[in-house]
Amino acid sequence: MSASYAIRVHNLSKRYKLGGRQPYVMFRDNLLKGAKALISWPKHLGRRNKDNEANTLWALRDLDFEIKPGDSVGIVGSNGAGKSTLLKIFSRVTVPSQGYVHLRGRVGSLLEVGTGFHPELTGIENIYLNGAILGMRKVEIDNKLDEIIAFSEVEKLLQTPVKFYSSGMRVRLAFSVAAHLEPEILLVDEVLAVGDVAFQKKSISRMEQVTRDGRTVLFVSHNMAAIRSLCKSGIFLSQGKLVYSGSADSAVQAYLDSGQKHEQGDSKVIFESNLTIPAQITSIATTNTRGEPSRIFSHENSFHIEIDFLLRENDTRSYLALNIHDQEGMLLLNSLDFEYQNSFANYQKGSYKAIVKIPPVLAPGTYNVSVQMIRKEKNKETLWDAAEEALTFDIIDSGSARSQIGLPWSGKLTNLLDWKIEVTK
Amino acid sequence: MNSTTEELKCESFEMMIEPPGKWWQLRLKELWPFRELLYFLTWRELKVRYKQTALGVLWAVLQPLLIMVLFSVVFGRFANLPSDGFPYPIFTFAGLLPWQLFSRALSDASQSLVNNQQMVSKIYFPRIFLPMSNVLSSLVDFGVAFIILLIMMVSYEITPSWRMLALPIFILAAIACATAAGLWLSAINVKYRDIKYITPFLVQIWLYATPVAYSSSLFPEQWRLLLGLNPMAGVIDGFRWALLGQEMSSNNLILVSMFVTIVFLVSGLIYFQNTEQTFADVI
């Protein structure tokens, strides 16, 4: 093992007790538990360890890796893979259950901007308070005050309590403080997606500057384009384990490939049979155009949504409706099965599979799929079956021109429009 | 670039992050580099405390004054509780000052971790600074109200003696009591939000168990040691002894109180520092 590392992670594990993260435990419950345990303690003696193992969730399991000084490392993985837990351990918010992390250098984190902001305090007061919370010394803040203020673009409101700020201004101020931390190791978790587009661009170039300065940066993001453009190396975590460590590009690739191999469970949902309804949706799945299960797609590729359904009687007046919502619940698309041939299908009793091809129209992001089975009669519609937000899928940026220059996506649709630009006169 | 940031960069800094150590390792050394944060948190408490109030910091004076008036009427006049030969108002005010310091710090501190949930779950800093900042900011209220006490002493023609010099010890003891209670309650509150509902009762009951409205000499000699188990009893006896020149009802009472205070504080520290590492997971 070489001695030249900024971060060394050895055998690192983090265990959560299931149920331990409930909002709060009542005193009473524990008294009761204590009383019960007292009554039955001889029985418990031998079993204790086994019980614990069953109620345990390993957020991280036996991680081993080193990060070189000056490296910029992107950490990728699906939700719950342990990315945030790892950064929380590095920033000492939570302690590991086993193993250790050896850090060489001061750590600063952008895990959450604006932490400790107080609405009653003025902008300038909050700069000092927030700086101190992030681990800056007062002299450091004094020295950088002008820079921070200029970066935040809220010069005029510095003597105004933050509660009168717009949310955008608050975020800008908070990010400005955090962006002027000068630790040797910087932890960043999805904070670049704040503010308007111009401010995001500024934030990304600030990040690039930080990496050029030779600091070690750890960056967690779902934005693959940002990871590719900002990071040299990459680490891919899955279910708390290290799956791949190497260049940023290949780690992203490994993550995308795994989306087609390991996460079939997520890309398909199967519904229990319900004999009381005459028409039923039995499963919904997302696949790539070759029919292989996947829930992550490039913004440049088409993909399929497959709907299995069955009819318990012949039916000529029923149809399927497919809805795609974004994460905020906005309906982006509503498509009906009879539209493609302009008349209701003549369904006989039996099982069917509908394959809907979704062209590359969605911008990178996460989307929900809902499907409804509806019967249309003269004056009324009957909802036979509905699978609301049954499935989610991710559209990711696989290297667009805008991401190459560090521009984030805006809007919900891909805008690969036909631009015709001519010289006039 | 300026010199200070260069200096900071040059410091070679290394750290091991490991699973929780032994229970007696209190990691108090780690507090020092963060000392400025304690200052800023206290400053925030003070800044925010009387924002948007019409009377502002006057409340620090009004609260104990109003309680003094109430006690003087109810206990001094109607119930006719003895005040060891001193005018009842100043007798009770001398007890109310440390009591207010204690009760205010305790109530605020017990909620400190939960109220700053976002900070606790997102960022590392010594969590002990949150309850401590509440204690320190209560100390400022205490200082303001203390001026009133001095004015009252002048108007009641009570001449301070050399005993005044011992007052800082009793102020320290009051701070220690408040810190200890704050550490215990805030740490338990992270897991059991019941504390939020228990605290107001606790403060009420504790007030009656403390010689604020009455004198500890009201108790028979052999019971005074028992009273001393309440650490605030010793603090308030000490205050009256140092300020008014009231004789100690029992020297042992003070000693028992001091001892209980130390045990209370050390155990609170151990409990807090040991549970601190799981705060972010539980809160």
Side-chain angles (χ1 to χ4, degrees), chain A residues 107-182:
Chain A
V107 175
S109 62
L110 298 190
L111 298 191
E112 185 77 8
V113 293
T115 312
F117 258 41
H118 201 289
E120 294 286 353
L121 298 178
T122 68
I124 199 120
E125 288 168 341
N126 267 309
I127 290 179
Y128 275 94
L129 179 68
N130 194 228
I133 289 170
L134 293 175
M136 281 196 236
R137 307 276 291 274
K138 188 167 175 297
V139 279
E140 263 181 280
I141 307 172
D142 286 337
N143 287 332
K144 288 186 201 137
L145 191 61
D146 293 337
E147 258 179 89
I148 295 174
I149 292 171
F151 194 89
S152 70
E153 303 167 6
V154 293
E155 292 95 333
K156 286 185 190 122
L157 292 163
L158 284 175
Q159 301 304 332
T160 310
V162 163
K163 65 176 172 183
F164 297 120
Y165 283 31
S166 73
S167 57
M169 294 194 299
R170 220 173 294 182
V171 163
R172 287 210 300 271
L173 185 66
F175 186 83
S176 309
V177 180
H180 287 80
L181 273 173
E182 290 200 341

Side-chain angles (χ1 to χ4, degrees), chain A residues 52-65:
Chain A
N52 279 352
E53 202 55 36
N55 294 326
T56 296
L57 174 79
W58 290 92
L60 294 174
R61 194 92 209 232
D62 299 329
L63 292 189
D64 259 300
F65 61 87

Side-chain angles (χ1 to χ4, degrees), chain A residues 92-304:
Chain A
R92 303 182 64 204
V93 169
T94 188
V95 287
S97 309
Q98 287 166 20
Y100 67 81
V101 178
H102 187 198
L103 295 170
R104 287 182 173 155
R106 287 207 310 164
V107 175
S109 62
L110 298 190
L111 298 191
E112 185 77 8
V113 293
T115 312
F117 258 41
H118 201 289
E120 294 286 353
L121 298 178
T122 68
I124 199 120
E125 288 168 341
N126 267 309
I127 290 179
Y128 275 94
L129 179 68
N130 194 228
I133 289 170
L134 293 175
M136 281 196 236
R137 307 276 291 274
K138 188 167 175 297
V139 279
E140 263 181 280
I141 307 172
D142 286 337
N143 287 332
K144 288 186 201 137
L145 191 61
D146 293 337
E147 258 179 89
I148 295 174
I149 292 171
F151 194 89
S152 70
E153 303 167 6
V154 293
E155 292 95 333
K156 286 185 190 122
L157 292 163
L158 284 175
Q159 301 304 332
T160 310
V162 163
K163 65 176 172 183
F164 297 120
Y165 283 31
S166 73
S167 57
M169 294 194 299
R170 220 173 294 182
V171 163
R172 287 210 300 271
L173 185 66
F175 186 83
S176 309
V177 180
H180 287 80
L181 273 173
E182 290 200 341
E184 287 93 2
I185 300 169
L186 184 67
L187 312 175
V188 186
D189 189 359
E190 294 280 15
V191 286
L192 297 180
V194 299
D196 54 24
V197 174
F199 191 76
Q200 283 183 20
K201 206 179 156 192
K202 207 161 144 184
S203 310
I204 286 179
S205 65
R206 174 80 201 175
M207 276 286 297
E208 283 170 342
Q209 192 196 322
V210 168
T211 49
R212 273 201 306 273
D213 284 354
R215 270 181 254 277
T216 313
V217 179
L218 266 81
F219 184 35
V220 165
S221 179
H222 288 285
N223 182 344
M224 296 301 131
I227 288 205
R228 275 185 162 143
S229 67
L230 289 172
C231 301
K232 281 180 258 173
S233 316
I235 284 173
F236 167 35
L237 295 180
S238 176
Q239 293 172 345
K241 294 195 181 106
L242 183 77
V243 180
Y244 181 87
S245 163
S247 76
D249 280 331
S250 44
V252 168
Q253 202 52 52
Y255 170 48
L256 296 185
D257 289 347
S258 78
Q260 296 166 348
K261 284 178 202 150
H262 304 303
E263 292 179 15
Q264 295 183 3
D266 284 338
S267 70
K268 183 168 189 174
V269 57
I270 297 168
F271 300 99
E272 274 174 40
S273 166
N274 180 354
L275 294 172
T276 61
I277 47 176
Q280 201 198 344
I281 300 158
T282 51
S283 79
I284 304 172
T286 50
T287 69
N288 63 20
T289 46
R290 294 188 297 277
E292 296 157 353
S294 172
R295 57 172 305 280
I296 302 168
F297 308 99
S298 156
H299 75 290
E300 293 169 319
N301 296 339
S302 303
F303 64 97
H304 290 165

Side-chain angles (χ1 to χ4, degrees), chain B residues 123-173:
Chain B
I123 288 184
Y124 174 78
F125 61 96
R127 295 351 179 332
I128 196 172
F129 284 171
L130 284 173
M132 274 173 79
S133 68
N134 287 108
V135 176
L136 290 182
S137 63
S138 307
L139 197 60
V140 174
D141 278 12
F142 171 83
V144 175
F146 193 77
I147 300 170
I148 301 297
L149 180 80
L150 292 180
I151 295 171
M152 281 175 70
M153 280 173 69
V154 172
S155 63
Y156 280 107
E157 292 172 0
I158 293 169
T159 36
S161 68
W162 55 268
R163 286 177 180 178
M164 269 288 253
L165 298 177
L167 193 64
I169 298 175
F170 297 111
I171 296 178
L172 268 180

Side-chain angles (χ1 to χ4, degrees), chain A residues 316-359:
Chain A
T316 56
R317 302 214 60 85
S318 287
Y319 64 90
L320 284 170
L322 169 71
N323 292 326
I324 295 179
H325 289 87
D326 70 5
Q327 288 296 82
E328 286 85 48
M330 185 168 78
L331 178 63
L332 298 175
L333 194 139
N334 168 255
S335 182
L336 311 174
D337 73 356
F338 60 82
E339 288 174 317
Y340 80 106
Q341 57 179 23
N342 280 320
S343 69
F344 287 132
N346 186 7
Y347 289 124
Q348 303 294 306
K349 184 177 163 185
S351 306
Y352 295 85
K353 179 191 275 296
I355 299 177
V356 188
K357 181 176 173 182
I358 311 287

Side-chain angles (χ1 to χ4, degrees), chain B residues 7 33-34 37-38 73 76 80 85 127 152 228 266-267 274 279:
Chain B
E7 265 168 44
F34 283 89
L37 182 61
L38 178 60
V73 172
N80 232 334
R127 295 351 179 332
M152 281 175 70
V266 171
S267 61
N274 277 283
F279 283 169

